[in-house]
Amino acid sequence: MALAQPTPLFTRETIETRVAELARRISSDYAGTGELLLVGVLKGAFIFLADLARRLEVPHRVDFVALSSYGAAGSTQGNLRLIMDLKTPVSGQHVLLVDDIVDNGSTLRFLHGLLAAHGPASVKSCVLVRKAKPRVAEVAPDYVGFEIPDVWVVGYGLDYGDRYRTLPYIAVFEPGQSA
Ligand code: IMP
Ligand code: MG
């Protein structure tokens, strides 16, 4: 069955330009610091991380973590649990967490805490999208692609009930659009 096509909020071109800008800033900030460890948060970050990493001009490795939040589709409430850990030891590494979106901030706070406990040289974070809303747990991301209002977005890795991730643009998901 065909999925309804949401209206773009950020086009493919706009995203590409912004990802390139983020990559330039990150490359300049980490120039000369050695190898960077990019830690992507599955599944949402896989497309953003792939595009960002290929534009970085500093040496880097890529690893992933996966979390489960017991949440229903469209919700980020619930307890976070690590369901896939890093393969790469974090000790002494400059770590850059890469996620698709900051909603209430619990994911970033959870992962910052987890990584910081393993003795990295530094931990920073980069998110493509940040929602403008009060956050229960503020760990301010160091790099932000786009600020949006408190709406549910899909595409470019972002899902609704695990669908729409591979749309090449970011769109607002309207309730009533069904999968
Ligand atoms: P937080 O812990 O509330 O900041 O939520 C972050 C996680 O919730 C992200 O990594 C996404 O997986 C998911 N999320 C939050 N808002 C959205 C959205 O608008 N679209 C898709 N996923 C979202
Ligand atoms: Mg996510």
Side-chain angles (χ1 to χ4, degrees), residues 41-45 99-101 107 158-159 165:
V41 186
L42 293 174
K43 301 175 192 173
D99 205 356
D100 49 2
I101 191 163
T107 303
L158 293 150
D159 72 307
R165 286 193 200 279

Side-chain angles (χ1 to χ4, degrees), residues 94-114:
H94 289 287
V95 178
L96 182 64
L97 268 169
V98 179
D99 205 356
D100 49 2
I101 191 163
V102 181
D103 188 350
N104 69 33
S106 346
T107 303
L108 265 197
R109 184 179 65 167
F110 178 82
L111 288 173
H112 261 269
L114 201 78

Side-chain angles (χ1 to χ4, degrees), residues 9-91:
L9 178 63
F10 301 112
T11 64
R12 187 199 283 254
E13 293 73 24
T14 304
I15 296 170
E16 197 179 313
T17 304
R18 189 68 185 124
V19 170
E21 282 168 9
L22 288 173
R24 272 197 298 277
R25 268 189 52 209
I26 294 167
S27 299
S28 136
D29 290 354
Y30 284 93
T33 61
E35 196 178 50
L36 181 59
L37 177 61
L38 301 173
V39 175
V41 186
L42 293 174
K43 301 175 192 173
F46 82 114
I47 292 178
F48 175 41
L49 175 54
D51 285 349
L52 183 76
R54 286 178 295 171
R55 289 190 177 272
L56 288 180
E57 289 158 23
V58 286
H60 58 271
R61 288 183 292 166
V62 176
D63 206 342
F64 292 96
V65 291
L67 301 177
S68 143
S69 71
Y70 304 104
S75 148
T76 62
Q77 300 306 308
N79 291 321
L80 290 172
R81 193 166 55 96
L82 193 69
I83 56 172
M84 193 189 92
D85 205 346
L86 293 171
K87 305 263 189 308
T88 321
V90 164
S91 172

